[in-house]
Amino acid sequence: MPEETRSPRAGEDPYALALQNGRGPLYLPLYLRWADGRRIRLPVHRWCSRPSRADETLLERCNSRVLDVGCGPGRLCTALMSRGVFALGVDVAPRAVARTVALGGAALCRSVFDPLPTEGGWQTLLLADGNIGIGGDPHALLRRCAELADPTGALLVEVDQQDVEERCTAWVEDAHGHRGPPFPWARLGAPAARRVAEGLGLRVTDQWDSGHRRFLALGRRNSSLERRVCGR
């Protein structure tokens, strides 16, 4: 069968193969599977589509110089670039980065914990699509994002709708049980994200829901962020 429609062979990453043709998976569905047996379906088609209304609520809050952490196929950072807002995506998945660049966006294939351009100067950092879970340590991730942000900048974070706080090992799996490599992951609801943020000297300056998704805006204490974000 054609390359873009076949199921993965042993050792192939189902997520990487799903992005290969730039339209999302044609062998549906894909799941995020936990080591304890639980799984959730991954909305890869949404990630490969135009921004949704919920995404728009994030984009509306982005100021200049946006860093999209875990950009995936690039729908957010490319949408920002098309609006004249400079945005850089970072992702460890080479095919996700390649798709972002092919769509006219700017992206680097590296971890958020690697050296990045303009450290300490980003006005907005995006952690959408549950990317607060990157690395399995939300404290370390938010601390790193705070280092990357301008002192008056905003961290826009998508959190779980449930009041949950857990760390786990996970992998991407297709409907036939083909698995990608395992990686550390985490899930945080809004209360847990607040606690982690407060421990880092950050505070929640805005919280909102759109559809079935929930978001927080974080900023440093005693900054002008609350006036600029909540005053829109």
Side-chain angles (χ1 to χ4, degrees), residues 161-204:
Q161 279 275 0
Q162 302 178 27
D163 183 3
V164 62
E165 182 175 9
E166 62 178 348
R167 302 180 185 186
C168 57
T169 298
W171 55 85
V172 175
E173 179 181 287
D174 72 7
H176 304 292
H178 299 103
R179 297 179 176 183
F183 51 85
W185 196 251
R187 293 174 64 210
L188 261 70
R194 283 177 179 269
R195 290 193 295 272
V196 173
E198 289 170 358
L200 292 167
L202 302 170
R203 62 188 179 119
V204 175

Side-chain angles (χ1 to χ4, degrees), residues 132-167:
I132 184 67
I134 288 173
D137 187 346
H139 185 276
L141 178 61
L142 288 181
R143 180 177 60 201
R144 173 58 173 156
C145 289
E147 293 171 353
L148 292 167
D150 182 270
T152 62
L155 279 58
L156 303 182
V157 182
E158 183 169 354
V159 295
D160 203 284
Q161 279 275 0
Q162 302 178 27
D163 183 3
V164 62
E165 182 175 9
E166 62 178 348
R167 302 180 185 186

Side-chain angles (χ1 to χ4, degrees), residues 1-231:
M1 64 180 63
E3 176 74 7
E4 68 269 21
T5 61
R6 65 174 175 80
S7 293
R9 292 188 292 262
E12 288 184 314
D13 182 355
Y15 175 65
L17 186 59
L19 298 180
Q20 183 167 282
N21 71 346
R23 297 191 300 273
L26 298 182
Y27 55 94
L28 288 175
L30 289 184
Y31 299 94
L32 183 67
R33 171 79 77 170
W34 279 267
D36 64 8
R38 292 174 296 154
R39 71 179 188 179
I40 60 170
R41 186 165 173 170
L42 294 173
V44 184
H45 268 312
R46 174 168 64 80
W47 299 343
C48 292
S49 301
R50 295 174 62 86
S52 66
R53 178 54 202 155
D55 293 331
E56 291 289 345
T57 69
L58 280 175
L59 300 177
E60 291 163 359
R61 289 168 166 82
C62 289
N63 292 304
S64 60
R65 301 198 308 278
V66 178
L67 185 67
D68 186 1
V69 178
C71 66
R75 77 186 187 285
L76 298 180
C77 56
T78 55
L80 287 166
M81 292 284 275
S82 71
R83 302 174 191 194
V85 177
F86 178 76
L88 176 68
V90 293
D91 202 292
V92 297
R95 285 179 177 164
V97 170
R99 184 178 187 277
T100 300
V101 173
L103 291 175
L108 297 174
C109 188
R110 65 182 67 173
S111 166
V112 66
F113 296 102
D114 292 336
L116 292 170
T118 323
E119 298 205 6
W122 296 98
Q123 283 293 329
T124 309
L125 276 86
L126 293 177
L127 284 169
D129 304 317
N131 282 336
I132 184 67
I134 288 173
D137 187 346
H139 185 276
L141 178 61
L142 288 181
R143 180 177 60 201
R144 173 58 173 156
C145 289
E147 293 171 353
L148 292 167
D150 182 270
T152 62
L155 279 58
L156 303 182
V157 182
E158 183 169 354
V159 295
D160 203 284
Q161 279 275 0
Q162 302 178 27
D163 183 3
V164 62
E165 182 175 9
E166 62 178 348
R167 302 180 185 186
C168 57
T169 298
W171 55 85
V172 175
E173 179 181 287
D174 72 7
H176 304 292
H178 299 103
R179 297 179 176 183
F183 51 85
W185 196 251
R187 293 174 64 210
L188 261 70
R194 283 177 179 269
R195 290 193 295 272
V196 173
E198 289 170 358
L200 292 167
L202 302 170
R203 62 188 179 119
V204 175
T205 61
D206 197 4
Q207 177 174 330
W208 71 98
D209 289 2
S210 182
H212 299 292
R213 298 167 66 189
R214 177 164 294 168
F215 306 93
L216 302 178
L218 306 177
R220 288 188 176 92
R221 293 195 182 106
N222 302 319
S223 77
S224 61
L225 178 66
E226 185 171 27
R227 174 179 57 81
R228 294 192 298 109
V229 172
C230 296

